[in-house]
Amino acid sequence: MSGIVVLVLRTLLAASLYGFLGWAVYTLWKELRFQSRLVSASQVPPVSLTQVGEEGEKSLDFSVQEIMIGRDENSDFSISDETVSAQHARLSFHQSQWWVEDLFSTNGTFLNDVKVTTPTVIISGDELRCGRVNLQILIKPR
């Protein structure tokens, strides 16, 4: 009689362990689906950079998470001015905000006439100066 009781107890223990394992996997799967929906829903708001100068106006729209500004032709926003470094500044979108960061440029990066020394949050309507070149920033709503 005790052998049957031990067998029943073992079967119940095995069933409860498999039940717990199934519940844990299902919970993790639901959480991963929820997180993937959150990530896919958070899109980068488009930003427009406009360079106004003596040679005219140059404007480009971006919908990417990172924008490189510099004199290098491979930069996302290329500026042909000798006061602009090859890789002058970076605009990046993280923590649900656009940020500007100076990339150790020779002539500095200025946001609304304040020198950028650390990554700084930017908003629509801010003016960015790279060397002697002024850029107007317009962040478009999603």
Side-chain angles (χ1 to χ4, degrees):
M1 188 77 157
S2 66
I4 294 177
V5 172
V6 171
L7 180 64
V8 169
L9 287 176
R10 280 185 172 178
T11 306
L12 289 174
L13 180 62
S16 65
L17 285 176
Y18 281 118
F20 175 75
L21 183 62
W23 171 79
V25 168
Y26 176 71
T27 302
L28 287 173
W29 177 72
K30 274 183 25 180
E31 187 65 28
L32 284 174
R33 279 189 49 210
F34 177 72
Q35 289 297 328
S36 69
R37 286 183 187 153
L38 279 179
V39 168
S40 66
S42 65
Q43 296 176 348
V44 177
V47 65
S48 175
L49 295 176
T50 306
Q51 173 187 351
V52 180
E54 296 130 11
E55 65 276 354
E57 185 175 292
K58 172 185 173 183
S59 182
L60 289 175
D61 294 335
F62 298 95
S63 294
V64 293
Q65 198 165 2
E66 185 175 281
I67 304 165
M68 296 296 291
I69 300 172
R71 194 175 64 236
D72 186 9
E73 292 178 3
N74 295 327
S75 296
D76 298 315
F77 194 86
S78 181
I79 302 170
S80 58
D81 187 280
E82 66 274 356
T83 62
V84 176
S85 298
Q87 293 182 348
H88 198 95
R90 174 188 307 132
L91 299 179
S92 58
F93 185 78
H94 54 91
Q95 299 175 353
S96 299
Q97 296 177 325
W98 277 102
W99 298 71
V100 64
E101 177 182 4
D102 182 62
L103 299 177
F104 305 106
S105 61
T106 305
N107 295 314
T109 303
F110 296 84
L111 181 64
N112 299 325
D113 291 326
V114 177
K115 187 170 176 126
V116 175
T117 56
T118 60
T120 307
V121 174
I122 57 176
I123 59 172
S124 188
D126 279 347
E127 188 172 299
L128 187 66
R129 190 177 73 210
C130 299
R132 289 184 292 184
V133 178
N134 291 324
L135 302 173
Q136 187 71 31
I137 299 170
L138 177 64
I139 300 172
K140 300 173 181 175
R142 293 180 214 183

